Amino acid sequence: MAAQSHRLSWYVVHTKPRRELLAAGLLADDLGVVAYLPEVLRVARGHRRKEPLFPGYVFIQADLAATPLSRINATPGVLRLLTTGGHPQPLPAGEVEALQDRVDALNAAGGMPAHSLRPGDEVTLKTGPLQGLRAVFIGPMRPAQRVRVLLEFLGSLSETEVNVADLEPVSGVSTESRPRRTRGRGRRIKAGD
């Protein structure tokens, strides 16, 4: 057990909201640990920018025998190192490296896929055990690429979460940009305006 505690392992650090970059930088600079913040390209309001893949979390590679847990938890931007049963749990070997490869491939392909679905759009599930069923798109689950759909199954309506990539719009239902009907705050646009 002593030999295992003196080797570098990957751990997950929970950060304060929107403080992932600050925490990763300070952990690396002040404590000398390797910090990895997976960031993916996203399109938001017409602009491409990098955002954390797992908001509120940073991965660190550290030897906890050499880097005290209290120093990690006291780093500005950090809430705490994640533990199980009060003890830090290292991630399985190769998990973070595999994640880095997937994030690099995703960014090389243009980033997270954007969708043009709007609440109320009819969609069809493309994969999985519910393949072929129709559903109604309810909305995104922030910040992941999971979305909620309303699905009629066995005679009852159920709300479920699915990956947005597993959906396709029903033919004939336009998901193109719709004309604005309000000026904001519910003020309708009159036909002559």
Side-chain angles (χ1 to χ4, degrees), residues 6 15 39 52 54 64 68 117 133 137 188:
H6 290 289
T15 69
E39 292 182 299
F54 305 110
L64 294 184
L117 298 172
L133 288 179
F137 180 78
R188 292 222 171 259

Side-chain angles (χ1 to χ4, degrees), residues 6-44:
H6 290 289
R7 57 176 252 244
L8 294 176
S9 295
W10 284 101
Y11 298 91
V12 180
V13 173
H14 189 198
T15 69
K16 293 179 180 177
R18 298 187 182 117
R19 295 292 182 250
E20 303 90 355
L21 193 57
L22 170 72
L26 290 174
L27 286 165
D29 294 342
D30 294 349
L31 301 182
V33 300
V34 175
Y36 174 56
L37 173 61
E39 292 182 299
V40 292
L41 290 170
R42 292 188 197 269
V43 177

